[in-house]
Amino acid sequence: MPANHAVVYEGPGKVEVKEVPYPTFEVKDGPGVNPANVGRKVPHGAIIKSVATSICGSDQHMVRGRTTAPAGLTLGHEITGEVVETGPDVEFIKTGDLVSVPFNIACGRCRNCKERKTGVCENVNPDRAGSAYGYVDMGGWVGGQAEYVLVPYADWNLLKYPDKEQAMEKILDLAMLSDIFPTGYHGCVTAGVTTGSTVYIAGAGPVGLAAATSAFLLGAAVVIVADLNKDRLNQARSFGCETIDVSQGDPADQIEQILGTPEVDCAVDAVGFEARGHGADAAKEQPATVLNTLMKVTRAGGALGIPGLYVTGDPGAEDEAAKHGSLSIQIGLGWAKSLGFTTGQCPVMKYNRQLMMAILHDRVQIAKAVNATPIPLEQAPQGYRDFDRGAARKYVLDPHGMLPKAA
């Protein structure tokens, strides 16, 4: 049995690469594991050798101490890898397959899974619907920023790449299928982006850039990306986006300068609960700012896609209400404008096969758009620090030294 090293959360601002147990086909007790899941048998699972596993903004929320994540939690929910072992109940996935792992863990059997709502599977998290690898309050499934990871319900969850050699040639693009590309695409689809749309995307981090890429793929006429970070705005401009620096004032005024009108057809929140204010308030954390701005700048009858993360508990929030997930949302404005809202985890399996085909047939270059940057597993702590400082990159961990050969 080989050694298994992984990125482990050790407390606010601190991650380390440590040796962790090699996965087995049973859920073991450990940091963050739901007691009701301990001892759960996983004969339907597969053990994956991680080829690429990325650092996500959602991970950063935990590392900043903005959740109740326990020390010792193995991080990582963006996983692409090779199957090295399958459980006795796995029928179709085979050893040697190169696969994408949706960050949602789903059983394929419950009502929600059968309705393609795999982000809120009812059977994998004893506390509530919805689960993910390496994430607080998500059932305790061990994270995938590791050399090896267990994936349950392998026949259902895993997306097999049809040609392994071809996939390795595009592995950095395909690594985005586990989360940020489908998440950005879901934000655009639920916002109603279509041919000729004008689109406002709040946030130029990897999910915002993936949403911008998705908007163009869906036929948008103009994509406007807003952020406070100049390097990330430069990255958005590198593939054709218009940009807004929200530290310079009201986004509506800047939208009007671009479009001749202060409103857009569709809007996407790719920021979430650690949002900051606009204009003179740009240095202050104001978690409702993005949602209220989106309602203001979206035309009546339009829709908002909200893949940005919001939480029920934020111990680091600056006001008491926000600590419990309560924000000062101008719901009356949204109601008056008949706006549609879609929130929650992206159901990755709803989109990942189609987006895989777009990548394999050269319809999109998502890795270039998000500036995907491979680093060795042992450099993960530095990657987290650089990402937290606002690096305009999507850091992709390379546990087995396979990415440089593929790039």
Side-chain angles (χ1 to χ4, degrees), residues 139-390:
W141 298 90
V142 175
Q145 287 175 12
E147 292 174 301
Y148 299 92
V149 62
L150 172 69
V151 173
Y153 303 103
D155 281 329
W156 169 252
N157 281 302
L158 295 178
L159 173 66
K160 177 185 172 181
Y161 297 131
D163 184 311
K164 192 172 183 179
E165 184 176 347
Q166 180 194 23
M168 286 302 296
E169 291 174 358
K170 297 178 180 292
I171 193 65
L172 283 181
D173 293 282
L174 294 170
M176 303 301 121
L177 289 175
S178 59
D179 183 354
I180 67 164
F181 195 11
T183 293
Y185 192 84
H186 178 63
C188 289
V189 168
T190 54
V193 177
T194 187
T195 305
S197 295
T198 56
V199 187
Y200 177 82
I201 296 171
V207 170
L209 297 174
T213 303
S214 300
F216 284 126
L217 190 62
L218 289 163
V222 182
V223 179
I224 303 169
V225 178
D227 206 293
L228 298 160
N229 183 312
K230 290 179 172 53
D231 290 338
R232 290 180 172 181
L233 292 174
N234 287 337
Q235 183 64 26
R237 283 193 293 273
S238 74
F239 59 96
C241 301
E242 301 287 344
T243 59
I244 285 176
D245 183 345
V246 295
S247 70
Q248 300 304 304
D250 189 344
D253 295 336
Q254 297 182 68
I255 289 171
E256 187 167 21
Q257 293 173 19
I258 296 169
L259 296 177
T261 174
E263 291 187 326
V264 293
D265 297 323
C266 319
V268 177
D269 174 2
V271 177
F273 73 100
E274 288 193 66
R276 297 192 174 273
H278 296 156
D281 293 328
K284 301 176 184 176
E285 189 168 299
Q286 296 183 347
T289 298
V290 168
L291 291 173
N292 288 333
T293 296
L294 264 58
M295 286 188 277
K296 178 181 177 181
V297 304
T298 304
R299 67 175 182 86
L304 313 183
I306 310 173
L309 176 66
Y310 289 87
V311 293
T312 56
D314 175 11
E318 295 183 6
D319 67 81
E320 195 61 33
K323 288 181 180 180
H324 304 284
S326 296
L327 309 180
S328 299
I329 304 298
Q330 293 176 287
I331 193 64
L333 174 61
W335 189 93
K337 295 177 77 172
S338 294
L339 298 176
F341 296 74
T342 301
T343 65
Q345 288 187 35
C346 163
V348 170
M349 293 173 68
K350 189 173 182 178
Y351 308 108
N352 63 351
R353 184 172 296 278
Q354 301 95 303
L355 295 176
M356 175 189 73
M357 294 300 288
I359 290 169
L360 293 177
H361 293 278
D362 299 317
R363 304 305 300 170
V364 65
Q365 293 181 302
I366 183 65
K368 183 177 180 181
V370 302
N371 198 13
T373 304
I375 60 174
L377 184 70
E378 58 267 24
Q379 291 181 16
Q382 185 63 49
Y384 268 94
R385 288 191 289 270
D386 291 345
F387 191 45
D388 192 49
R389 295 184 187 115

Side-chain angles (χ1 to χ4, degrees), residues 98-118:
L98 189 65
V99 296
S100 179
V101 184
F103 80 90
N104 323 109
I105 302 172
C107 71
R109 296 154 166 80
C110 70
R111 174 180 175 178
N112 282 342
C113 283
K114 290 177 180 179
E115 293 178 357
R116 303 181 77 192
K117 299 173 184 174
T118 53

Side-chain angles (χ1 to χ4, degrees), residues 7-17 54-77 134-136 145 273-274 309 311 314-316 380-389 397:
V7 182
V8 177
Y9 170 67
E10 292 291 4
K14 187 178 181 181
V15 297
E16 295 182 4
V17 177
S54 303
I55 296 173
C56 181
S58 298
D59 299 320
Q60 285 286 14
H61 294 306
M62 289 189 291
V63 173
R64 290 183 188 125
R66 298 299 295 267
T67 72
T68 57
L73 183 73
T74 296
L75 298 169
H77 55 269
Y135 212 85
V136 61
Q145 287 175 12
F273 73 100
E274 288 193 66
L309 176 66
V311 293
D314 175 11
Q382 185 63 49
Y384 268 94
R385 288 191 289 270
D386 291 345
F387 191 45
D388 192 49
R389 295 184 187 115
L397 304 180

